[in-house]
Amino acid sequence: GVEDPSLAVLTECARDAIVTVEWRELAAYDASAVVMLALVADFCLTHDHEPPWDGAFFDRLVDSGYVAGSERLPYREMDLAYWYERIGRGDFSARIAAWWGDTACGLRQPAAVSSIEDVYSLTHAIFYLTDIGRRSPDAVLSAEDARHLRRDLVTHTAIALRACNADILGELILCWRFAGIELDDLNQSIAAAALDRLIAMQLPGGEMPAPSFDPGVAAGDPLRFAYNYHPTLVAALAFHTWAQQR
């Protein structure tokens, strides 16, 4: 529902990119590609644009059981189910609490021994639990699970402050808004430190560096975009969301 000239340029860029991909071939060799197909279908529906495949093709992929043959982590199951619901293929909320219970955070894994992948499972699960910030975790989780989610989110953010990872820190601080973290004095200090840390990591060209970014890559090199687009996008969303809600 947001209209802006810069978004119109991005929309046309996405439309041009969509038609260059051999979606049928991709899906034939990778069952997990159905997530990307569902995301593209949602984009096309949002912009009154036909997907570059017929509906029967997507239905066959799902109804034949082919998609179910790909093993997924619990938060990736949530990812797939979320996009299914977005395009009208089921009720995402039916199993959301069960999937959450199988994530590292849902299993009460101590934050101190969690891997980066475990932290990504937390942030992405929050994206889907909250419908990208449009509903409270309390609407789908028990009160105890929602409290633990928020506590783990704050703890992981404090830990991430010591790491040079703009990608995960940006996702965590964005999720503070989505999850409705109460800003008492301690949490306010952690949030301010996280935002300051992100600003300090910004490169001279404006982008945020990926953990694997090689600073020797020249400005304008497509590799630079490939490295840094995701942390830059996450940080931009985080800064915008916090600026709006202060």
Side-chain angles (χ1 to χ4, degrees):
V2 177
E3 294 293 339
D4 184 88
S6 61
L7 294 182
V9 173
L10 291 173
T11 297
E12 288 306 311
C13 180
R15 282 177 174 165
D16 291 344
I18 284 169
V19 298
T20 67
V21 178
E22 295 290 342
W23 294 105
R24 291 173 180 270
E25 185 175 347
L26 179 64
Y29 290 96
D30 184 1
S32 66
V34 72
V35 176
M36 289 181 281
L37 267 70
L39 189 154
V40 169
D42 179 52
F43 171 86
C44 292
L45 286 170
T46 302
H47 294 90
D48 298 319
H49 185 64
E50 287 296 320
W53 60 79
D54 59 89
F57 167 70
F58 189 89
D59 291 342
R60 283 196 303 273
L61 282 177
V62 178
D63 297 339
S64 66
Y66 173 69
V67 173
S70 178
E71 189 174 5
R72 297 177 178 83
L73 293 168
Y75 82 96
R76 290 301 185 192
E77 291 284 6
M78 295 169 72
D79 184 9
L80 178 58
Y82 177 77
W83 292 109
Y84 274 179
E85 185 176 61
R86 289 279 302 172
I87 61 175
R89 280 199 59 94
D91 181 5
F92 167 65
S93 62
R95 288 200 58 217
I96 191 170
W99 281 316
W100 166 255
D102 288 334
T103 64
C105 183
L107 292 169
R108 304 295 195 267
Q109 177 175 292
V113 300
S114 294
S115 67
I116 289 293
E117 184 67 24
D118 294 330
V119 183
Y120 276 119
S121 80
L122 170 62
T123 56
H124 283 244
I126 290 172
F127 294 161
Y128 310 129
L129 284 168
T130 65
D131 191 14
I132 319 297
R134 290 186 286 188
R135 70 180 169 206
S136 168
D138 303 274
V140 287
L141 298 180
S142 69
E144 181 183 353
D145 280 341
R147 279 196 301 272
H148 185 78
L149 177 153
R150 292 185 174 102
R151 185 165 60 247
D152 251 25
L153 186 52
V154 172
T155 302
H156 279 299
T157 305
I159 293 172
L161 280 168
R162 299 182 60 83
C164 190
N165 190 328
D167 202 43
I168 197 66
L169 185 59
E171 285 198 9
L172 285 164
I173 200 65
L174 177 62
C175 283
W176 277 47
R177 286 307 195 190
F178 291 172
I181 299 292
E182 181 183 350
L183 293 180
D184 56 24
D185 288 345
L186 175 60
N187 287 349
Q188 182 68 59
S189 296
I190 294 171
L195 293 168
D196 287 345
R197 184 81 175 95
L198 282 173
I199 291 170
M201 283 191 278
Q202 190 174 29
L203 298 173
E207 78 267 41
M208 306 299 292
S212 58
F213 175 61
D214 177 1
V217 177
D221 189 319
L223 273 178
R224 197 174 181 101
F225 177 83
Y227 272 117
N228 296 336
Y229 85 91
H230 192 270
T232 302
L233 174 62
V234 168
L237 290 169
F239 288 137
H240 179 70
T241 304
W242 276 84
Q244 273 194 321
Q245 299 186 28
R246 277 187 171 176

